[in-house]
Amino acid sequence: MSSASDTEEVLATFRYQAVGHVFVTILYDYDSDRILLPVAELFSLLMINMEIDRGNFMIRGFFIEQNIPYQIVFDRYMIAFDGTQSPQFESYGPEHFVITETDYFLSPELFSEVFGLHFTPDIFA
């Protein structure tokens, strides 16, 4: 499981028409000059069904409809999402997953690739 030792939590704004303009806490990774996005915080804002299982380092639920389950297993760097009742897991690199005391974080690339959620960071906004 990737540690947050080389990262810093940063307050950022999130704009989405259905949600409005709100603040979210992102992680900035100094080593890779990348950001990571908070899964629970964003899924909550977007009203995406989720259940956090802290003992198993997992977030699971369904995406939009009940017949589209997902599981994100942070300590194994795996995500299952394929629209069936028995989703198949895909493995990703540890650089995409971080757990902190405040949230579980994923790279914007995984939000886009797995869930079709595209985030565009704008440091000048």
Side-chain angles (χ1 to χ4, degrees):
M1 176 170 27
S2 188
S3 85
S5 61
D6 299 327
T7 62
E8 181 178 346
E9 291 186 356
V10 177
L11 199 57
T13 58
F14 173 72
R15 287 181 289 189
Y16 181 66
Q17 187 173 5
V19 174
H21 191 96
V22 298
F23 289 101
V24 296
T25 302
I26 64 171
L27 286 183
Y28 178 72
D29 185 324
Y30 289 99
D31 290 340
S32 64
D33 191 34
R34 298 180 60 204
I35 65 166
L36 295 149
L37 303 171
V39 178
E41 189 171 3
L42 288 173
F43 278 15
S44 178
L45 286 169
L46 297 170
M47 295 187 282
I48 296 172
N49 177 273
M50 72 175 156
E51 173 188 335
I52 299 171
D53 181 347
R54 294 192 190 285
N56 291 310
F57 307 106
M58 179 187 310
I59 295 178
R60 64 178 161 250
F62 60 85
F63 189 75
I64 312 299
E65 298 179 14
Q66 288 187 358
N67 66 336
I68 307 176
Y70 69 87
Q71 291 182 9
I72 308 168
V73 185
F74 286 81
D75 65 336
R76 295 192 342 222
Y77 319 119
M78 299 175 77
I79 298 177
F81 178 85
D82 70 358
T84 69
Q85 293 301 320
S86 300
Q88 300 298 309
F89 280 97
E90 294 287 332
S91 293
Y92 299 93
E95 69 276 9
H96 295 284
F97 299 79
V98 171
I99 298 173
T100 69
E101 292 179 10
T102 58
D103 208 328
Y104 292 79
F105 292 82
L106 286 179
S107 68
E109 295 85 7
L110 288 188
F111 273 99
S112 179
E113 180 182 330
V114 176
F115 297 102
L117 298 172
H118 309 287
F119 295 94
T120 307
D122 181 0
I123 60 170
F124 300 108

